[in-house]
Amino acid sequence: MDDQYQYNTSEEKFVKDSHNKEIDLINRDPKSINEDVVKVDFEDVIAEPEGTHSMDGVWKFSYTTFTVSKYWCYRILSAIFGIPVALLWGFLFACISFCHIWAVVPCIKSCLIESQCISRIYSLCIQTFCEPFFEALGKIFSSVKVALRKEV
């Protein structure tokens, strides 16, 4: 009885631990899914060609304004909308997982089972009707010889 209690306790602990995964606060894109997509710097957006330069102070202030506004705009938007959007994405992926587990995979398995049955019937029909017919045709025409001649 005591062993069973320890087993259930460790089982519950495992379930809890799988939902409380520790996240990395330093590397927030460990799989590099946004490597090329959202890495936009000032130089990627604004560039002055040779011979058309603004004043140095304007260029520096533009750089600072772009960088700081992008940084704070992202932080404010993520603070306001990050949790609700994460909730929506979590709900969406939960629905997709639910449909995949409870509808798509069983449907595919059902189709595979039915197609195996149909393929056996099809194979039986081919072996019963078509195979003897074409074998007989092969034997009939096996003595036919074709000769090609060039006519001048």
Side-chain angles (χ1 to χ4, degrees), residues 20-38:
N20 295 330
K21 181 181 172 187
E22 198 168 318
I23 60 171
D24 187 1
L25 294 176
I26 305 299
N27 183 12
R28 296 186 184 192
D29 190 9
K31 295 183 181 178
S32 300
I33 62 172
N34 291 314
E35 188 65 31
D36 297 328
V37 181
V38 292

Side-chain angles (χ1 to χ4, degrees), residues 41-97:
D41 292 325
F42 180 76
E43 296 85 12
D44 298 327
V45 178
I46 300 171
E48 292 180 333
E50 196 65 40
T52 311
H53 287 189
S54 60
M55 293 181 282
D56 290 344
V58 171
W59 185 252
K60 288 178 184 177
F61 188 69
S62 297
Y63 174 81
T64 304
T65 304
F66 177 87
T67 306
V68 171
S69 64
K70 182 182 107 175
Y71 175 79
W72 280 106
C73 185
Y74 177 79
R75 294 203 71 159
I76 291 168
L77 286 173
S78 63
I80 294 169
F81 298 110
I83 294 173
V85 171
L87 179 70
L88 290 174
W89 281 118
F91 180 75
L92 175 70
F93 281 107
C95 290
I96 291 170
S97 297

